[in-house]
Amino acid sequence: MANGSIYQLIEDCEATNKALYKFYAAVMIVIFILALPLNVSVLHLFIFKMKFWKSNTNNIFLFNLVLADILLLFCLPIKAHNFIKGERRSGNDAVCKAMLFMLFLNRGASIAFLTVTSIDRYFNVVHPGRKNLLKALKKSPHISIFIWLLLLPLTIPTMLKNFDCCNSHKSDENKEDTLIKDVVDSLREVVFFTQIIIPFIILVYCTVHIVNRLRKKTVGDKTKLRRAVFLVTSVMVVFSLCFLPCTISRVVLLVARVQEWQESYQDKAAVAFDGLMVLSYMDCLLDPLVYCFCSTKFKALYISNYFPCFNKDGPISLDSSSGNTSHPKRSNVI
């Protein structure tokens, strides 16, 4: 294929390696099939069994995290359909913008609530007696509503075709138009990187301090301490696995565009970015596994409701006001 043809395919948002994009589509379909029932079942548990709005724990944040992941999952079949057709985005302008809005809003919300939950855990472990605004507001839905509203204006700059097709900072003969477009492109890239880099720095800070605090703690159940260390470490691993690779590939892609690398290299950078963006959707599958199932109480409640045949202690009830689980059979024995 000639270089000019490759360049034209990049500009037209068409896949240059259709077989590879079909593989990307297959990965998204697998993520959708595995993650949707898992997230829906967790959401059902939060609403109908745990009554998260009455809980004194951080279940409000976790509920919003799962909700953001579910909304993001609904975008994957459409994205997979486009990839199967050899298109990197929908040819319909309205569908394209709606997809970008949904993808970036819910992806941003997922990262935001993951970060806020880690900050809440940081204060509970490192500064348990200190009063803080987050501790006061976490029982109220207002902070969750505020996070969703804050993400709306940050999502609008991404609702453009050339972002989805990785065509930021492309050369243009009209210098005036190029200057305006460069400002818009730069703003859009700042939003993209800010949604990942700032939460990552916060997560690193919280994780390091939580691990140090738990290691210095000599009093208490060592099993619980090890579980807490495993939890915060797992969050860092999940975040690093899902979001850092696509961030790095985006940097490489921008360098390729600005320095006007050969079209074949630009194409490889764009294909790699698309693939690593698909990897970032794994977050929808890993979030409930890390945050919900690392809790022995939540795991026991989940198994009791959905897999009672594996539950040796009988049905488990949960006091919505305290967030505590109870085992009726054990109570009768006592």
Side-chain angles (χ1 to χ4, degrees), residues 45-52 55 59 298 301 318 320:
L45 210 59
F46 272 126
I47 296 173
F48 297 103
K49 300 296 180 179
M50 301 178 70
K51 297 181 180 178
F52 68 93
S55 177
N59 286 338
F298 187 93
L301 186 64
L318 186 139
S320 61

Side-chain angles (χ1 to χ4, degrees), residues 31-312:
I31 292 173
F32 178 81
I33 293 173
L34 295 176
L36 184 62
L38 177 62
N39 280 276
V40 169
S41 61
V42 170
L43 196 67
H44 174 266
L45 210 59
F46 272 126
I47 296 173
F48 297 103
K49 300 296 180 179
M50 301 178 70
K51 297 181 180 178
F52 68 93
W53 60 90
K54 295 182 180 179
S55 177
N56 291 327
T57 65
N58 59 359
N59 286 338
I60 292 179
F61 295 151
L62 293 179
F63 167 80
N64 281 275
L65 175 64
V66 175
L67 180 62
D69 287 341
I70 288 178
L71 293 174
L72 179 59
L73 281 172
F74 287 125
C75 300
L76 298 191
I78 302 174
K79 193 77 173 173
H81 175 69
N82 293 333
F83 280 5
I84 291 172
K85 291 173 61 180
E87 301 172 349
R88 296 171 61 197
R89 59 145 174 93
S90 173
N92 185 294
D93 188 59
V95 174
C96 178
K97 291 185 178 181
M99 277 286 295
L100 282 169
F101 177 78
M102 289 293 292
L103 283 169
F104 281 94
L105 174 65
N106 295 298
R107 184 167 171 270
S110 179
I111 294 173
F113 285 108
L114 190 72
T115 306
V116 171
T117 307
S118 297
I119 294 173
D120 177 66
R121 190 173 294 274
Y122 163 79
F123 279 111
N124 288 338
V125 174
V126 181
H127 305 291
R130 182 181 298 181
K131 293 183 179 179
N132 62 82
L133 183 62
L134 183 61
K135 194 171 184 179
L137 291 177
K138 73 175 184 178
K139 300 176 187 178
S140 168
H142 295 97
I143 187 170
S144 298
I145 295 172
F146 174 75
I147 291 173
W148 283 102
L149 293 177
L150 179 64
L151 288 168
L152 286 175
L154 295 177
T155 305
I156 292 173
T158 63
M159 292 173 59
L160 294 172
K161 289 182 182 179
N162 62 334
F163 182 87
D164 198 29
C165 298
C166 317
N167 293 344
S168 292
H169 295 291
K170 66 180 178 181
S171 58
D172 198 325
E173 294 180 0
N174 192 323
K175 298 298 182 183
E176 221 173 284
D177 291 344
T178 301
L179 179 61
I180 297 173
K181 183 181 176 303
D182 282 345
V183 172
V184 175
D185 285 347
S186 299
L187 175 63
R188 198 165 53 244
E189 298 299 338
V190 166
V191 171
F192 176 82
F193 288 110
T194 300
Q195 282 189 343
I196 297 175
I197 294 175
I198 292 180
F200 179 71
I201 293 172
I202 294 173
L203 283 173
V204 170
Y205 179 86
C206 292
T207 301
V208 170
H209 281 75
I210 288 172
V211 170
N212 289 337
R213 176 70 179 87
L214 292 174
R215 284 179 177 174
K216 292 177 182 178
K217 191 174 181 180
T218 56
V219 181
D221 189 344
K222 290 185 178 180
T223 303
K224 290 183 178 179
L225 296 180
R226 283 197 297 268
R227 190 181 299 122
V229 171
F230 173 76
L231 175 61
V232 295
T233 306
S234 298
V235 173
M236 278 301 308
V237 171
V238 169
F239 196 94
S240 301
L241 174 67
C242 294
F243 300 118
L244 289 187
C246 68
T247 305
I248 295 171
S249 67
R250 187 74 187 180
V251 172
V252 175
L253 184 57
L254 288 176
V255 171
R257 298 293 297 185
V258 172
Q259 294 188 356
E260 298 183 358
W261 291 1
Q262 292 182 13
E263 285 80 2
S264 58
Y265 291 126
Q266 290 190 37
D267 174 60
K268 290 177 182 178
V271 170
F273 173 74
D274 287 339
L276 292 173
M277 281 296 292
V278 171
L279 177 65
S280 73
Y281 303 142
M282 281 288 295
D283 180 59
C284 299
L285 178 61
L286 298 177
D287 277 347
L289 294 177
V290 170
Y291 260 110
C292 300
F293 295 102
C294 279
S295 167
T296 53
K297 292 179 180 179
F298 187 93
K299 184 166 62 176
L301 186 64
Y302 189 92
I303 293 174
S304 174
N305 281 272
Y306 300 117
F307 302 99
C309 57
F310 296 104
N311 184 34
K312 299 179 180 179

